[in-house]
Amino acid sequence: MSGELSRLEDVVDKIKHGLLPQWVFASQDVYQLEMERIFSKSWHFLGHESEIPNKGDFVTRWIVNDPVLLLRDMQGEIRAFLNSCTHRGTMLCVEDCGNRQSFTCPYHGWTFNTNGELVGIVAGNKVYGSEMDRREWALRPIPQIQSIHGMIFGCLDPNAPNLEVYLGGLKWYLDIMAGRTDNGLEVRGVPHRWIVNTNWKVSADNFGGDPYHTAMTHHSTVELGISPRDPMFASYGHQVVLENGHGINIITAAPGLKMPPYQGLPKVLWPEFERNLTAEQLKVFSETVVMVGTCFPNLSWVSPMHGTGGPNEPLTNFVNFRVWRPLNPCQIEVWSWFMIDKDAPEDFKEASYRSYIASFGPAGTLEQDDTEIWTRVVDASRGFMAFDKDIQFNNVLNYLMGLDRVQPVNDWPGPGVAYPTCYLDAISRAFYTHWAEMLLEDAIVKAPIRA
Ligand code: FES
Ligand SMILES: [Fe+2]
């Protein structure tokens, strides 16, 4: 184990005091440990049931480095397999999506059905004899899959706690975003994908705990008249720290600014909200302008009210979930799903999609603002001073906002520890504490890192 890893205990101690050593963004050793001890145990968002509505529909996805074939079998059940032929390991299916009753490997032609069973072998018994048991060569299922509000998650650890336990209090907020209408959300189009030269924690932390960057990074929205001039505009509301490293910001309107209830969603949906949500959820939701947060480790969402920037363009809400798929310590592949309530009127769905594309789509203004900044964080974190093995330099970053200054409220109607502002590093501190403890716990138990 390298010197970087032996300093993880120091990270746990520092982050509780609002300080994060800069080397954690670019360390190859930390990245390797993250793969083994975080991503192999966490629940990962794979896709939405609306992406595979019919028997035989499939999409191909990733759990970091594990290719996943996610499909609806011919009985209508959702299944997920490692997208790798059991003969020589070839990736079985390279299409993004489609509809098939079987999958034939391009290498030697073994064929698998939608249950994952090996149903065809070229030259079959002639080369393997009748004694080979085909059942032993079925596709390998992803050990656990589970859906919530149509959102399908997978987990590589067969012994991990179930999805409800993993999400904890976050489920209450997912109800508001994804379970508020009778028929739930649907994905429109295919998820957008693009590569960003940053570390996955930078983007996960940005969505999870950093509304503070909005006034500066996204100043163009102020200039366009989409955001108010008050630099505190993204601070109003509550930051909620949840278990397992999750967190959400429920941003409300600035005092005196009149915003429509329920993020301006069409009135025709309101009776459905009342049917599907509790009185407490309705109260929080009715006052919400933006919901933005992260499900540890690398699933984030933003559900703002935005426009296309045109004059007199109304602000329109959308729901955007995204996975920050790590490719290496300094690179991620962003997967971004636009979602909308199935029961919303078609013209609203169109306006909502335009709002997403203009802001958080791959060429959206806010997306480009963020991407540029996240790249710069990693660019400035690879050098000798950032790694600072001899503690010559003050190489810790500032996560001090609100520490010991802002106290939780005691009348928040939802789960979690809620603070009365979103300009606060409480979620970030909890995110990095959970992250370091996950790395460290195994590091101590399975492979002592101290000499
Ligand atoms: S690798 Fe798939 S059939 Fe040989
Ligand atoms: Fe941003």
Side-chain angles (χ1 to χ4, degrees):
M1 290 278 173
S2 73
E4 279 94 306
L5 301 187
S6 67
R7 295 190 294 171
L8 277 171
E9 283 189 342
D10 178 51
V11 174
V12 173
D13 183 56
K14 282 206 165 66
I15 194 61
K16 284 182 176 147
H17 295 95
L19 303 170
L20 182 70
Q22 193 166 354
W23 55 267
V24 304
F25 296 138
S27 161
Q28 182 67 49
D29 292 324
V30 163
Y31 179 79
Q32 199 51 45
L33 208 60
E34 288 169 348
M35 294 299 114
E36 293 166 16
R37 296 174 185 174
I38 293 178
F39 290 100
S40 67
K41 295 177 173 175
S42 303
W43 283 88
H44 297 268
F45 179 58
L46 294 174
H48 193 273
E49 290 178 6
S50 62
E51 294 180 87
I52 45 173
N54 304 310
K55 291 174 182 172
D57 284 352
F58 70 88
V59 292
T60 50
R61 298 286 145 91
W62 292 89
I63 298 180
V64 189
N65 290 318
D66 288 76
V68 176
L69 178 58
L70 177 67
L71 56 78
R72 194 178 290 271
D73 70 21
M74 300 319 287
Q75 292 74 47
E77 293 297 311
I78 289 172
R79 294 174 181 262
F81 301 102
L82 186 67
N83 185 11
S84 172
C85 177
T86 53
H87 180 223
R88 288 285 199 278
T90 311
M91 193 175 288
L92 185 61
C93 178
V94 294
E95 293 159 68
D96 288 343
C97 56
N99 182 285
R100 297 249 191 97
Q101 295 196 15
S102 62
F103 296 85
T104 298
C105 179
Y107 202 172
H108 311 90
W110 284 20
T111 296
F112 302 86
N113 67 15
T114 57
N115 295 342
E117 293 159 345
L118 175 60
V119 293
I121 303 179
V122 174
N125 292 349
K126 290 197 186 71
V127 288
Y128 292 106
S130 56
E131 63 276 16
M132 188 174 90
D133 186 350
R134 292 181 182 199
R135 284 171 303 189
E136 288 178 8
W137 301 100
L139 292 178
R140 289 155 285 181
I142 299 304
Q144 296 199 63
I145 60 166
Q146 221 181 316
S147 292
I148 179 164
H149 298 313
M151 297 176 67
I152 309 163
F153 290 75
C155 180
L156 300 177
D157 180 358
N159 301 313
N162 67 32
L163 182 61
E164 283 88 2
V165 171
Y166 186 78
L167 296 174
L170 182 55
K171 157 90 171 43
W172 195 89
Y173 301 93
L174 281 178
D175 292 345
I176 297 176
M177 281 185 286
R180 61 200 180 199
T181 45
D182 297 350
N183 293 298
L185 299 179
E186 65 182 3
V187 172
R188 287 223 140 181
V190 293
H192 290 127
R193 308 201 295 268
W194 64 94
I195 305 270
V196 179
N197 293 325
T198 193
N199 181 269
W200 68 272
K201 297 187 289 299
V202 172
S203 44
D205 172 33
N206 172 279
F207 269 58
D210 194 357
Y212 177 54
H213 80 286
T214 313
M216 184 67 195
T217 304
H218 303 302
H219 193 73
S220 59
T221 63
V222 177
E223 289 164 1
L224 286 168
I226 292 168
S227 301
R229 291 225 156 259
D230 172 9
M232 295 297 287
F233 72 85
S235 74
Y236 303 108
H238 291 82
Q239 182 167 104
V240 186
V241 178
L242 296 155
E243 58 269 69
N244 299 328
H246 315 316
I248 186 167
N249 300 273
I250 307 280
I251 302 174
T252 52
L257 192 67
K258 189 100 183 84
M259 294 297 276
Y262 300 121
Q263 300 186 291
L265 285 162
K267 274 193 180 154
V268 68
L269 296 177
W270 295 7
E272 297 196 26
F273 302 158
E274 284 158 20
R275 273 202 290 281
N276 291 288
L277 300 176
T278 65
E280 291 78 13
Q281 287 169 320
L282 281 171
K283 163 130 181 53
V284 168
F285 186 30
S286 65
E287 294 166 7
T288 296
V289 175
V290 181
M291 286 180 276
V292 59
T294 289
C295 173
F296 187 90
N298 64 333
L299 169 67
S300 297
W301 59 87
V302 59
S303 179
M305 293 177 66
H306 211 275
T308 58
N312 309 317
E313 177 78 26
L315 302 185
T316 310
N317 173 245
F318 58 84
V319 180
N320 174 215
F321 282 93
R322 44 186 48 211
V323 168
W324 319 107
R325 177 191 167 211
L327 299 179
N328 63 55
C330 300
Q331 199 169 59
I332 59 172
E333 182 179 51
V334 183
W335 283 67
S336 175
W337 287 259
F338 167 79
M339 299 195 203
I340 186 76
D341 294 278
K342 250 183 219 158
D343 295 346
E346 188 58 31
D347 58 343
F348 182 83
K349 291 181 182 182
E350 282 300 314
S352 181
Y353 189 69
R354 281 201 306 277
S355 172
Y356 157 72
I357 288 293
S359 56
F360 284 96
T365 48
L366 280 85
E367 192 60 45
Q368 293 177 67
D369 296 338
D370 286 327
T371 300
E372 170 65 19
I373 292 294
W374 299 341
T375 300
R376 291 191 198 185
V377 172
V378 165
D379 281 347
S381 301
R382 285 193 261 239
F384 180 76
M385 288 182 74
F387 271 76
D388 191 16
K389 288 196 172 23
D390 302 321
I391 324 286
Q392 300 172 64
F393 311 107
N394 182 24
N395 76 336
V396 289
L397 303 173
N398 184 318
Y399 284 77
L400 287 163
M401 198 188 296
L403 183 66
D404 300 329
R405 291 183 63 236
V406 178
Q407 300 305 320
V409 298
N410 53 25
D411 59 351
W412 179 249
V417 179
Y419 295 84
T421 174
C422 296
Y423 284 1
L424 184 71
D425 289 334
I427 288 177
S428 299
R429 288 190 290 270
F431 174 89
Y432 281 109
T433 300
H434 186 69
W435 165 83
E437 285 177 350
M438 276 192 86
L439 297 183
L440 195 60
E441 201 173 296
D442 273 2
I444 287 172
V445 173
K446 291 184 184 162
I449 56 169
R450 279 170 296 183

